[in-house]
Amino acid sequence: MKWMPFSFICLLALGGCQAVPSSLPDADPPPSQACYFPSTASSTLTDSVDVLTEWGFSLDASDTRLGLLSASRERELHGASDLYASPHFSSRTSLSVFGGMGIGGRSHLGVGLGGGFGQLPIEVERVSLLWDNHHVRVSRDIRRFDQYGSLRTGRSANTDDFCARFQRALDAYTATGDSPS
């Protein structure tokens, strides 16, 4: 019982060592100015879906009341398996041996192959778009997953080039209704 007050004081002392950050983290790189542009056409969202699907994206989610849509595309990273390889085993296969003794003296031995066998690392590119009837805001990120499905890297990809190309394609599609380039 004598240790209870001492333990409580130590706990309070350690709790006081925590610090709250003075600011929120910044996006790296910061969003490009080209990723926020005016668009007042009533067909902006549907035209945006058409542009993104023409570029190989598939629609993941949309909410027309909020003016929000999300699309993604993925590609296999051929030759990148060695980047995520374990130093002791081949990056494509792993061997597991397991066994046990059951009731009645029966024993079992199993061998398993797996852990990314025949799979390639993938890169997932995701684009989110928000339209408020006057302006479009585009957000883009790229994530890489290893052959086991674990996230390895992720980064913001809001670049002037991508957003400017998207704006030109959207403007051309909205003006003419033709297929975007």
Side-chain angles (χ1 to χ4, degrees), residues 29-38 135-139 156-165 167:
S32 168
Q33 293 294 332
C35 293
Y36 182 74
F37 55 89
H135 293 87
V136 172
R137 181 176 305 273
V138 178
S139 175
S156 174
N158 294 327
T159 61
D160 287 333
D161 178 53
F162 179 83
C163 292
R165 282 188 307 118
Q167 181 182 5

Side-chain angles (χ1 to χ4, degrees), residues 74-130:
E74 64 181 55
R75 67 182 181 101
E76 293 179 336
L77 299 173
H78 296 280
S81 295
D82 293 337
L83 294 175
Y84 307 122
S86 171
H88 302 292
F89 297 105
S90 168
S91 63
R92 294 293 208 132
T93 61
S94 66
L95 177 66
S96 300
V97 178
F98 52 91
M101 182 74 102
I103 296 177
R106 295 185 182 212
S107 61
H108 302 280
L109 178 67
V111 177
L113 289 172
F117 184 73
Q119 298 174 357
L120 290 173
I122 60 169
E123 179 179 85
V124 178
E125 181 180 1
R126 185 178 57 193
V127 175
S128 298
L129 183 135
L130 181 64

Side-chain angles (χ1 to χ4, degrees), residues 54-74:
E54 180 72 23
W55 286 2
F57 287 87
S58 59
L59 185 65
D60 294 332
S62 67
D63 189 335
T64 55
R65 289 181 300 118
L66 296 175
L68 177 69
L69 68 89
S70 177
S72 64
R73 66 180 170 188
E74 64 181 55

Side-chain angles (χ1 to χ4, degrees), residues 2-81:
K2 293 182 180 183
W3 287 99
M4 184 65 96
F6 179 70
S7 300
F8 187 68
I9 290 172
C10 289
L11 184 64
L12 286 177
L14 288 175
C17 294
Q18 291 182 333
V20 177
S22 60
S23 65
L24 294 174
D26 292 330
D28 186 38
S32 168
Q33 293 294 332
C35 293
Y36 182 74
F37 55 89
S39 181
T40 57
S42 61
S43 63
T44 297
L45 283 180
T46 56
D47 292 345
S48 297
V49 170
D50 292 338
V51 169
L52 290 171
T53 55
E54 180 72 23
W55 286 2
F57 287 87
S58 59
L59 185 65
D60 294 332
S62 67
D63 189 335
T64 55
R65 289 181 300 118
L66 296 175
L68 177 69
L69 68 89
S70 177
S72 64
R73 66 180 170 188
E74 64 181 55
R75 67 182 181 101
E76 293 179 336
L77 299 173
H78 296 280
S81 295

